[in-house]
Amino acid sequence: MSSANYVSPTASTSTPTWHNFERKVDNVKPSKTDMNRLVMNYLVTNGYPDAAENFAREANIPTVDTKAIQERVDIRTAIYSGDIQSAIEKINELNPQILDENPSLHFALLRLQLVELIRSCTSNPDGDITPALEFATSQLSPRAPTNPQFLEDLEKTLALLIFPKENLTPSLAALLHPDLHRDIYAKVNAAILQNQGARTEALLCDLARLYSWAEKEAREAKKDIPDKLDLGLGESHISNSAGQNGASKDTVMTNNGDIDPMIS
């Protein structure tokens, strides 16, 4: 072919130049072993026993103690369903020291139990609020003087008995929102893991924070990086193992309106 007949590709038809930053990233990609370790750590830490078991089998890596994970799943299920008394009992079955050594967490669980009682008592106009008042008097009032925050939280929670649900301030409405269950379970999960000598947060969470910080620093320093960065952690590994194969028992969080972005 003569040079006269050769037509250079236009910007619209040629393949975009691979960014130098992406080329450098490709040169330091984590090994498959490291990736498997990150995914398994995430599934174990966040409580997905079925997904962890399936992933171990598919990735041909040692299985994990799914019984220990399932114990935390059962506690999560109890908290998300509003059965706080059962959750407290299950935590104490694991180790009574978990709550004995963390009075703030114990109070938060009891307060959530009071919220559920109030929710039940006020579900109809003629509801009897006596059970909620008796629980507050016997379980929370004795603890309130030990911490100013406890007293403030108790007073705020009891205000749910006074104001109608449709007229609640945002701070009071938040007590009836499912997010409260999620937040308290996150603290419970961390406390259990700490008691067991394990990391309280998945390695992927630390990596994501480090990634975000590094990107922010690079952009502020006007470094030559793409407009949009991909974390590049093999999303399909997580979505396939946790979102499909581990669906039977690991959907508890999704069923309760708390969809985990890492497995959705």
Side-chain angles (χ1 to χ4, degrees), residues 84-137:
I84 312 305
Q85 182 59 40
S86 176
I88 292 174
E89 291 172 358
K90 292 178 184 298
I91 295 170
N92 285 332
E93 287 173 4
L94 280 180
N95 192 334
Q97 291 183 337
I98 294 173
L99 295 182
D100 288 346
E101 297 177 355
N102 196 334
S104 294
L105 179 59
H106 196 178
F107 187 87
L109 282 164
L110 292 172
R111 183 197 186 199
L112 184 57
Q113 189 171 354
L114 175 59
V115 169
E116 293 303 318
L117 281 170
I118 293 175
R119 192 197 304 273
S120 176
C121 292
T122 59
S123 59
N124 63 77
D126 299 323
D128 182 10
I129 65 172
T130 302
L133 291 175
E134 290 180 346
F135 183 82
T137 301

Short mmCIF file of all heavy atoms in Angstrom, two decimals, residues 84-137:
data_model
loop_
_atom_site.label_atom_id
_atom_site.label_comp_id
_atom_site.label_asym_id
_atom_site.label_seq_id
_atom_site.Cartn_x
_atom_site.Cartn_y
_atom_site.Cartn_z
N ILE A 84 -34.26 -7.47 70.19
CA ILE A 84 -33.01 -7.05 70.84
C ILE A 84 -32.67 -7.92 72.04
O ILE A 84 -31.49 -8.18 72.31
CB ILE A 84 -33.11 -5.56 71.27
CG1 ILE A 84 -33.65 -4.71 70.11
CG2 ILE A 84 -31.74 -5.07 71.71
CD1 ILE A 84 -32.88 -4.83 68.82
N GLN A 85 -33.69 -8.38 72.76
CA GLN A 85 -33.43 -9.25 73.91
C GLN A 85 -32.72 -10.52 73.47
O GLN A 85 -31.76 -10.97 74.11
CB GLN A 85 -34.75 -9.60 74.61
CG GLN A 85 -34.59 -10.48 75.85
CD GLN A 85 -33.70 -9.84 76.92
OE1 GLN A 85 -33.78 -8.63 77.15
NE2 GLN A 85 -32.86 -10.64 77.55
N SER A 86 -33.16 -11.09 72.36
CA SER A 86 -32.50 -12.28 71.83
C SER A 86 -31.07 -11.98 71.42
O SER A 86 -30.16 -12.78 71.67
CB SER A 86 -33.29 -12.82 70.62
OG SER A 86 -32.61 -13.91 70.03
N ALA A 87 -30.85 -10.80 70.82
CA ALA A 87 -29.49 -10.42 70.42
C ALA A 87 -28.58 -10.31 71.62
O ALA A 87 -27.43 -10.78 71.60
CB ALA A 87 -29.54 -9.10 69.66
N ILE A 88 -29.07 -9.69 72.69
CA ILE A 88 -28.27 -9.54 73.91
C ILE A 88 -27.92 -10.91 74.49
O ILE A 88 -26.78 -11.16 74.92
CB ILE A 88 -29.01 -8.67 74.95
CG1 ILE A 88 -29.12 -7.23 74.44
CG2 ILE A 88 -28.32 -8.72 76.30
CD1 ILE A 88 -29.96 -6.32 75.32
N GLU A 89 -28.89 -11.80 74.50
CA GLU A 89 -28.65 -13.14 75.03
C GLU A 89 -27.61 -13.88 74.19
O GLU A 89 -26.75 -14.58 74.74
CB GLU A 89 -29.97 -13.92 75.06
CG GLU A 89 -30.97 -13.40 76.09
CD GLU A 89 -32.33 -14.06 75.98
OE1 GLU A 89 -32.50 -14.90 75.06
OE2 GLU A 89 -33.22 -13.74 76.79
N LYS A 90 -27.68 -13.75 72.89
CA LYS A 90 -26.72 -14.41 72.01
C LYS A 90 -25.31 -13.84 72.21
O LYS A 90 -24.32 -14.58 72.15
CB LYS A 90 -27.15 -14.27 70.56
CG LYS A 90 -28.42 -15.05 70.20
CD LYS A 90 -28.81 -14.84 68.76
CE LYS A 90 -30.13 -15.53 68.43
NZ LYS A 90 -30.07 -16.99 68.59
N ILE A 91 -25.23 -12.53 72.41
CA ILE A 91 -23.92 -11.92 72.66
C ILE A 91 -23.34 -12.45 73.96
O ILE A 91 -22.14 -12.78 74.03
CB ILE A 91 -24.04 -10.38 72.71
CG1 ILE A 91 -24.46 -9.83 71.34
CG2 ILE A 91 -22.71 -9.75 73.13
CD1 ILE A 91 -24.83 -8.36 71.36
N ASN A 92 -24.17 -12.54 74.97
CA ASN A 92 -23.70 -13.05 76.27
C ASN A 92 -23.32 -14.52 76.19
O ASN A 92 -22.44 -14.97 76.93
CB ASN A 92 -24.78 -12.83 77.33
CG ASN A 92 -24.88 -11.38 77.77
OD1 ASN A 92 -23.89 -10.64 77.71
ND2 ASN A 92 -26.06 -10.95 78.18
N GLU A 93 -23.97 -15.27 75.31
CA GLU A 93 -23.60 -16.67 75.12
C GLU A 93 -22.21 -16.78 74.51
O GLU A 93 -21.44 -17.69 74.84
CB GLU A 93 -24.63 -17.37 74.23
CG GLU A 93 -25.97 -17.63 74.91
CD GLU A 93 -27.00 -18.18 73.95
OE1 GLU A 93 -26.64 -18.43 72.77
OE2 GLU A 93 -28.16 -18.35 74.35
N LEU A 94 -21.88 -15.84 73.64
CA LEU A 94 -20.54 -15.83 73.06
C LEU A 94 -19.50 -15.52 74.13
O LEU A 94 -18.52 -16.23 74.29
CB LEU A 94 -20.46 -14.79 71.93
CG LEU A 94 -21.02 -15.15 70.57
CD1 LEU A 94 -20.84 -14.00 69.61
CD2 LEU A 94 -20.33 -16.40 70.02
N ASN A 95 -19.74 -14.43 74.83
CA ASN A 95 -18.84 -14.01 75.91
C ASN A 95 -19.48 -12.85 76.67
O ASN A 95 -19.63 -11.75 76.10
CB ASN A 95 -17.48 -13.58 75.35
CG ASN A 95 -16.44 -13.41 76.44
OD1 ASN A 95 -16.77 -13.15 77.60
ND2 ASN A 95 -15.17 -13.55 76.09
N PRO A 96 -19.85 -13.02 77.94
CA PRO A 96 -20.47 -11.95 78.72
C PRO A 96 -19.61 -10.70 78.84
O PRO A 96 -20.13 -9.60 79.04
CB PRO A 96 -20.71 -12.59 80.10
CG PRO A 96 -20.69 -14.06 79.84
CD PRO A 96 -19.73 -14.27 78.72
N GLN A 97 -18.30 -10.88 78.70
CA GLN A 97 -17.40 -9.73 78.83
C GLN A 97 -17.60 -8.71 77.72
O GLN A 97 -17.26 -7.53 77.89
CB GLN A 97 -15.94 -10.19 78.85
CG GLN A 97 -15.55 -10.96 80.10
CD GLN A 97 -14.08 -11.33 80.08
OE1 GLN A 97 -13.45 -11.41 79.02
NE2 GLN A 97 -13.51 -11.56 81.26
N ILE A 98 -18.15 -9.13 76.60
CA ILE A 98 -18.32 -8.21 75.47
C ILE A 98 -19.15 -7.02 75.88
O ILE A 98 -18.82 -5.86 75.59
CB ILE A 98 -18.96 -8.94 74.27
CG1 ILE A 98 -18.01 -10.01 73.74
CG2 ILE A 98 -19.32 -7.94 73.16
CD1 ILE A 98 -18.63 -10.89 72.66
N LEU A 99 -20.25 -7.25 76.59
CA LEU A 99 -21.11 -6.16 77.04
C LEU A 99 -20.70 -5.64 78.41
O LEU A 99 -20.83 -4.44 78.69
CB LEU A 99 -22.57 -6.61 77.08
CG LEU A 99 -23.18 -6.97 75.71
CD1 LEU A 99 -24.64 -7.36 75.86
CD2 LEU A 99 -23.06 -5.80 74.73
N ASP A 100 -20.18 -6.53 79.26
CA ASP A 100 -19.74 -6.09 80.60
C ASP A 100 -18.64 -5.04 80.50
O ASP A 100 -18.58 -4.10 81.31
CB ASP A 100 -19.23 -7.29 81.41
CG ASP A 100 -20.36 -8.21 81.85
OD1 ASP A 100 -21.53 -7.78 81.76
OD2 ASP A 100 -20.08 -9.35 82.25
N GLU A 101 -17.78 -5.19 79.50
CA GLU A 101 -16.64 -4.28 79.36
C GLU A 101 -16.94 -3.12 78.40
O GLU A 101 -16.06 -2.31 78.11
CB GLU A 101 -15.42 -5.05 78.87
CG GLU A 101 -14.95 -6.12 79.87
CD GLU A 101 -13.77 -6.92 79.36
OE1 GLU A 101 -13.39 -6.71 78.18
OE2 GLU A 101 -13.24 -7.75 80.13
N ASN A 102 -18.16 -3.07 77.90
CA ASN A 102 -18.54 -2.00 76.98
C ASN A 102 -19.93 -1.48 77.37
O ASN A 102 -20.92 -1.75 76.68
CB ASN A 102 -18.55 -2.53 75.54
CG ASN A 102 -18.56 -1.41 74.51
OD1 ASN A 102 -19.03 -0.31 74.80
ND2 ASN A 102 -18.07 -1.69 73.32
N PRO A 103 -20.01 -0.71 78.46
CA PRO A 103 -21.32 -0.22 78.92
C PRO A 103 -22.05 0.65 77.92
O PRO A 103 -23.28 0.65 77.87
CB PRO A 103 -20.97 0.56 80.20
CG PRO A 103 -19.51 0.87 80.09
CD PRO A 103 -18.91 -0.27 79.34
N SER A 104 -21.31 1.37 77.09
CA SER A 104 -21.96 2.21 76.07
C SER A 104 -22.69 1.36 75.05
O SER A 104 -23.81 1.69 74.63
CB SER A 104 -20.93 3.10 75.38
OG SER A 104 -20.38 4.04 76.27
N LEU A 105 -22.08 0.26 74.64
CA LEU A 105 -22.71 -0.63 73.69
C LEU A 105 -23.92 -1.32 74.32
O LEU A 105 -24.98 -1.45 73.68
CB LEU A 105 -21.72 -1.68 73.20
CG LEU A 105 -22.26 -2.71 72.21
CD1 LEU A 105 -22.78 -2.03 70.95
CD2 LEU A 105 -21.17 -3.73 71.86
N HIS A 106 -23.77 -1.74 75.58
CA HIS A 106 -24.88 -2.38 76.27
C HIS A 106 -26.06 -1.41 76.40
O HIS A 106 -27.22 -1.78 76.14
CB HIS A 106 -24.44 -2.85 77.66
CG HIS A 106 -25.38 -3.84 78.27
ND1 HIS A 106 -25.14 -4.43 79.50
CD2 HIS A 106 -26.57 -4.36 77.82
CE1 HIS A 106 -26.14 -5.25 79.77
NE2 HIS A 106 -27.02 -5.22 78.78
N PHE A 107 -25.78 -0.16 76.73
CA PHE A 107 -26.84 0.83 76.85
C PHE A 107 -27.50 1.07 75.50
O PHE A 107 -28.73 1.22 75.41
CB PHE A 107 -26.27 2.14 77.40
CG PHE A 107 -27.34 3.17 77.72
CD1 PHE A 107 -27.96 3.19 78.96
CD2 PHE A 107 -27.73 4.10 76.77
CE1 PHE A 107 -28.95 4.12 79.25
CE2 PHE A 107 -28.71 5.04 77.04
CZ PHE A 107 -29.33 5.05 78.28
N ALA A 108 -26.70 1.11 74.44
CA ALA A 108 -27.24 1.34 73.10
C ALA A 108 -28.21 0.22 72.70
O ALA A 108 -29.26 0.48 72.10
CB ALA A 108 -26.11 1.45 72.08
N LEU A 109 -27.88 -1.00 73.07
CA LEU A 109 -28.76 -2.14 72.77
C LEU A 109 -30.04 -2.05 73.58
O LEU A 109 -31.14 -2.27 73.05
CB LEU A 109 -28.04 -3.45 73.06
CG LEU A 109 -27.02 -3.91 72.00
CD1 LEU A 109 -26.10 -4.97 72.57
CD2 LEU A 109 -27.73 -4.42 70.76
N LEU A 110 -29.92 -1.72 74.87
CA LEU A 110 -31.11 -1.59 75.71
C LEU A 110 -31.99 -0.43 75.23
O LEU A 110 -33.21 -0.52 75.25
CB LEU A 110 -30.70 -1.37 77.17
CG LEU A 110 -30.03 -2.56 77.86
CD1 LEU A 110 -29.49 -2.15 79.23
CD2 LEU A 110 -31.01 -3.73 78.00
N ARG A 111 -31.35 0.62 74.80
CA ARG A 111 -32.11 1.75 74.28
C ARG A 111 -32.86 1.36 73.01
O ARG A 111 -34.02 1.75 72.80
CB ARG A 111 -31.17 2.91 73.99
CG ARG A 111 -31.87 4.18 73.51
CD ARG A 111 -30.88 5.11 72.87
NE ARG A 111 -31.48 6.40 72.53
CZ ARG A 111 -30.96 7.24 71.66
NH1 ARG A 111 -29.84 6.94 71.03
NH2 ARG A 111 -31.53 8.40 71.41
N LEU A 112 -32.21 0.58 72.15
CA LEU A 112 -32.87 0.10 70.95
C LEU A 112 -34.04 -0.81 71.31
O LEU A 112 -35.09 -0.79 70.66
CB LEU A 112 -31.88 -0.65 70.06
CG LEU A 112 -32.40 -1.12 68.70
CD1 LEU A 112 -32.94 0.04 67.89
CD2 LEU A 112 -31.29 -1.85 67.94
N GLN A 113 -33.86 -1.58 72.37
CA GLN A 113 -34.96 -2.43 72.84
C GLN A 113 -36.13 -1.58 73.32
O GLN A 113 -37.30 -1.90 73.06
CB GLN A 113 -34.47 -3.35 73.97
CG GLN A 113 -35.48 -4.42 74.37
CD GLN A 113 -34.88 -5.44 75.33
OE1 GLN A 113 -33.67 -5.42 75.60
NE2 GLN A 113 -35.70 -6.33 75.83
N LEU A 114 -35.83 -0.47 73.98
CA LEU A 114 -36.88 0.46 74.41
C LEU A 114 -37.58 1.07 73.20
O LEU A 114 -38.80 1.22 73.20
CB LEU A 114 -36.27 1.55 75.29
CG LEU A 114 -37.23 2.68 75.73
CD1 LEU A 114 -38.41 2.12 76.52
CD2 LEU A 114 -36.48 3.74 76.55
N VAL A 115 -36.82 1.43 72.19
CA VAL A 115 -37.41 1.99 70.97
C VAL A 115 -38.40 1.00 70.37
O VAL A 115 -39.51 1.37 69.95
CB VAL A 115 -36.31 2.34 69.94
CG1 VAL A 115 -36.94 2.65 68.57
CG2 VAL A 115 -35.49 3.52 70.41
N GLU A 116 -38.02 -0.28 70.34
CA GLU A 116 -38.92 -1.30 69.77
C GLU A 116 -40.17 -1.46 70.63
O GLU A 116 -41.28 -1.67 70.09
CB GLU A 116 -38.18 -2.64 69.65
CG GLU A 116 -37.06 -2.64 68.63
CD GLU A 116 -37.53 -2.25 67.25
OE1 GLU A 116 -38.61 -2.71 66.82
OE2 GLU A 116 -36.84 -1.46 66.58
N LEU A 117 -40.03 -1.35 71.94
CA LEU A 117 -41.20 -1.41 72.82
C LEU A 117 -42.12 -0.23 72.57
O LEU A 117 -43.35 -0.38 72.51
CB LEU A 117 -40.76 -1.44 74.28
CG LEU A 117 -40.26 -2.79 74.82
CD1 LEU A 117 -39.62 -2.61 76.19
CD2 LEU A 117 -41.41 -3.79 74.89
N ILE A 118 -41.54 0.94 72.43
CA ILE A 118 -42.34 2.14 72.16
C ILE A 118 -43.03 2.02 70.80
O ILE A 118 -44.20 2.38 70.65
CB ILE A 118 -41.46 3.40 72.21
CG1 ILE A 118 -40.96 3.64 73.65
CG2 ILE A 118 -42.22 4.62 71.70
CD1 ILE A 118 -40.00 4.80 73.78
N ARG A 119 -42.31 1.49 69.83
CA ARG A 119 -42.89 1.30 68.50
C ARG A 119 -44.13 0.40 68.60
O ARG A 119 -45.16 0.65 67.98
CB ARG A 119 -41.86 0.68 67.56
CG ARG A 119 -42.27 0.71 66.09
CD ARG A 119 -41.41 -0.27 65.29
NE ARG A 119 -40.00 0.00 65.44
CZ ARG A 119 -39.31 0.85 64.68
NH1 ARG A 119 -39.93 1.56 63.75
NH2 ARG A 119 -38.01 1.02 64.87
N SER A 120 -43.99 -0.67 69.40
CA SER A 120 -45.11 -1.60 69.56
C SER A 120 -46.26 -0.97 70.34
O SER A 120 -47.43 -1.11 69.97
CB SER A 120 -44.62 -2.87 70.27
OG SER A 120 -45.68 -3.75 70.52
N CYS A 121 -45.93 -0.25 71.42
CA CYS A 121 -46.95 0.35 72.28
C CYS A 121 -47.75 1.43 71.57
O CYS A 121 -48.94 1.64 71.87
CB CYS A 121 -46.31 0.94 73.53
SG CYS A 121 -45.62 -0.27 74.66
N THR A 122 -47.10 2.14 70.67
CA THR A 122 -47.75 3.27 70.01
C THR A 122 -48.24 2.94 68.60
O THR A 122 -48.58 3.83 67.83
CB THR A 122 -46.79 4.48 69.93
OG1 THR A 122 -45.61 4.10 69.21
CG2 THR A 122 -46.40 4.93 71.33
N SER A 123 -48.27 1.65 68.28
CA SER A 123 -48.69 1.26 66.94
C SER A 123 -50.18 1.51 66.71
O SER A 123 -50.62 1.58 65.56
CB SER A 123 -48.38 -0.22 66.70
OG SER A 123 -49.04 -1.04 67.66
N ASN A 124 -50.94 1.66 67.80
CA ASN A 124 -52.35 2.04 67.66
C ASN A 124 -52.69 3.06 68.75
O ASN A 124 -52.02 3.12 69.79
CB ASN A 124 -53.27 0.81 67.75
CG ASN A 124 -53.19 0.13 69.11
OD1 ASN A 124 -53.75 0.61 70.09
ND2 ASN A 124 -52.48 -1.00 69.16
N PRO A 125 -53.69 3.89 68.52
CA PRO A 125 -54.00 4.99 69.45
C PRO A 125 -54.29 4.54 70.88
O PRO A 125 -54.06 5.28 71.83
CB PRO A 125 -55.25 5.63 68.82
CG PRO A 125 -55.17 5.26 67.38
CD PRO A 125 -54.56 3.90 67.34
N ASP A 126 -54.79 3.34 71.06
CA ASP A 126 -55.15 2.86 72.40
C ASP A 126 -54.09 1.94 73.00
O ASP A 126 -54.36 1.21 73.95
CB ASP A 126 -56.49 2.10 72.32
CG ASP A 126 -57.62 3.00 71.84
OD1 ASP A 126 -57.62 4.19 72.21
OD2 ASP A 126 -58.47 2.51 71.07
N GLY A 127 -52.88 1.99 72.44
CA GLY A 127 -51.82 1.12 72.92
C GLY A 127 -51.41 1.42 74.36
O GLY A 127 -51.42 2.57 74.80
N ASP A 128 -51.05 0.38 75.09
CA ASP A 128 -50.63 0.52 76.49
C ASP A 128 -49.13 0.78 76.54
O ASP A 128 -48.33 -0.05 76.10
CB ASP A 128 -50.97 -0.76 77.25
CG ASP A 128 -50.62 -0.68 78.73
OD1 ASP A 128 -50.28 0.43 79.20
OD2 ASP A 128 -50.67 -1.72 79.40
N ILE A 129 -48.74 1.93 77.08
CA ILE A 129 -47.32 2.29 77.11
C ILE A 129 -46.63 1.80 78.38
O ILE A 129 -45.43 2.03 78.57
CB ILE A 129 -47.14 3.82 76.99
CG1 ILE A 129 -47.73 4.54 78.21
CG2 ILE A 129 -47.75 4.33 75.69
CD1 ILE A 129 -47.43 6.02 78.24
N THR A 130 -47.37 1.10 79.23
CA THR A 130 -46.79 0.62 80.50
C THR A 130 -45.55 -0.24 80.31
O THR A 130 -44.54 -0.03 81.02
CB THR A 130 -47.84 -0.16 81.30
OG1 THR A 130 -48.97 0.68 81.55
CG2 THR A 130 -47.27 -0.62 82.64
N PRO A 131 -45.54 -1.22 79.39
CA PRO A 131 -44.33 -2.04 79.22
C PRO A 131 -43.09 -1.20 78.89
O PRO A 131 -42.00 -1.49 79.40
CB PRO A 131 -44.71 -2.97 78.06
CG PRO A 131 -46.19 -3.06 78.12
CD PRO A 131 -46.64 -1.70 78.53
N ALA A 132 -43.25 -0.17 78.08
CA ALA A 132 -42.11 0.67 77.72
C ALA A 132 -41.62 1.45 78.93
O ALA A 132 -40.41 1.56 79.17
CB ALA A 132 -42.50 1.63 76.59
N LEU A 133 -42.55 2.00 79.71
CA LEU A 133 -42.17 2.77 80.90
C LEU A 133 -41.49 1.88 81.93
O LEU A 133 -40.50 2.27 82.55
CB LEU A 133 -43.40 3.45 81.49
CG LEU A 133 -44.02 4.57 80.66
CD1 LEU A 133 -45.31 5.07 81.30
CD2 LEU A 133 -43.03 5.72 80.50
N GLU A 134 -42.02 0.67 82.11
CA GLU A 134 -41.42 -0.24 83.09
C GLU A 134 -40.02 -0.66 82.66
O GLU A 134 -39.11 -0.77 83.50
CB GLU A 134 -42.32 -1.47 83.26
CG GLU A 134 -43.64 -1.17 83.98
CD GLU A 134 -44.51 -2.40 84.13
OE1 GLU A 134 -44.22 -3.42 83.44
OE2 GLU A 134 -45.47 -2.36 84.91
N PHE A 135 -39.84 -0.89 81.38
CA PHE A 135 -38.52 -1.28 80.89
C PHE A 135 -37.53 -0.14 81.06
O PHE A 135 -36.39 -0.35 81.49
CB PHE A 135 -38.60 -1.68 79.41
CG PHE A 135 -37.30 -2.16 78.85
CD1 PHE A 135 -36.88 -3.47 79.04
CD2 PHE A 135 -36.47 -1.30 78.12
CE1 PHE A 135 -35.67 -3.91 78.52
CE2 PHE A 135 -35.26 -1.74 77.61
CZ PHE A 135 -34.86 -3.05 77.81
N ALA A 136 -37.96 1.07 80.74
CA ALA A 136 -37.08 2.23 80.90
C ALA A 136 -36.70 2.42 82.36
O ALA A 136 -35.54 2.73 82.68
CB ALA A 136 -37.78 3.48 80.37
N THR A 137 -37.66 2.21 83.25
CA THR A 137 -37.40 2.39 84.68
C THR A 137 -36.46 1.34 85.24
O THR A 137 -35.55 1.65 86.03
CB THR A 137 -38.74 2.36 85.46
OG1 THR A 137 -39.60 3.38 84.97
CG2 THR A 137 -38.50 2.55 86.95
#
